[in-house]
Amino acid sequence: MHVQIVLFDGFDPLDAIAPFEVLHAGATASGGAVSVELVSAEGPREVVSGTGGLSLRATGPLDPRRPGVVLVPGASGRLGDPDDGTDPEDDGGQEDTVAVRLARALDTELRSLLGAAIKDTRITVATVCGGALVLAMAGLLQDRHATTHHLGLDLLDATGVHAVRARVVDDGDLVTAAGVTSGLDLGLYLLEREVGPRIAHAVEELFAHERRGTTWRPGGLAPAAF
């Protein structure tokens, strides 16, 4: 399983680093059955996050034809006031808000690259936090089940997504995770799903982190009202 973690200007560092470390440990534990890299739509470059000017280096271009996983983080920045009437597509002094940074990411080649990746049946697209909103704002998640940070669930639902309040949601070739620390759980779940529970458990022990919550899937009996 090869995982491409996508960086864009304003990304949230923990959204990217948490799954990167888990998956990198999985690569060691599995003897190379897993590989992971940081990529960007533009290719190799220093990518500045939305947190304190911290940057990470993308070592290659996002390849939407390479089988495996494409993982999209969210952005970090000010939450802004959802009722202030500001158009998230227009900076208007709001350039450091999460909404603007997510929208700006789609003003690059990233939009078309993600569109190609999500259509490829050999690729699982995964997201952490606002990464689901990147895909939803691009119109790529219509009628899919997904989650995001709890503050963004209403927005996700408004884009035509079936928003689920869960830590990790598995909708087949789309696997999404909630708030930023859920990137750890996403990484562990991908290891369990793709290379087996023994590898995931070994990494879980190494990180002294037990995966939280039940992974939601669109199957089984629907619960009755409590």
Side-chain angles (χ1 to χ4, degrees), residues 30-199:
S30 66
V34 178
S35 56
V36 58
E37 65 174 329
L38 300 176
V39 301
S40 80
E42 299 79 16
R45 69 181 181 99
E46 294 292 325
V47 187
V48 180
S49 76
T51 303
L54 175 68
S55 65
L56 294 175
R57 180 163 181 78
T59 58
L62 170 58
D63 183 353
R65 300 173 301 279
R66 182 167 186 176
V69 176
V70 171
L71 193 155
V72 184
S76 63
R78 294 193 305 108
L79 293 177
D81 182 353
D83 298 318
D84 66 4
T86 302
D87 181 352
E89 299 283 352
D90 176 12
D91 284 356
Q94 304 295 311
E95 66 276 359
D96 60 348
T97 64
V98 169
V100 167
R101 286 172 172 167
L102 293 176
R104 188 181 295 138
L106 292 173
D107 286 336
T108 69
E109 194 179 352
L110 182 60
R111 180 189 292 265
S112 61
L113 292 172
L114 291 177
I118 208 163
K119 291 177 183 176
D120 193 322
T121 57
R122 303 169 301 165
I123 293 176
T124 294
V125 174
T127 68
V128 181
C129 199
L133 291 171
V134 173
L135 296 170
M137 290 163 66
L140 300 175
L141 296 188
Q142 285 285 331
D143 296 322
R144 301 297 300 266
H145 296 91
T147 192
T148 187
H149 191 285
H150 65 275
L151 294 176
L153 285 170
D154 287 344
L155 177 57
L156 189 64
D157 191 70
T159 65
V161 178
H162 300 297
V164 181
R165 188 177 290 272
R167 185 83 167 165
V168 177
V169 172
D170 183 341
D171 197 34
D173 59 358
L174 174 70
V175 183
T176 56
V180 288
T181 59
S182 65
L184 292 167
D185 302 298
L186 175 69
L188 288 166
Y189 179 69
L190 289 173
L191 288 178
E192 179 182 8
R193 193 179 96 151
E194 302 299 330
V195 294
R198 295 174 66 183
I199 298 298

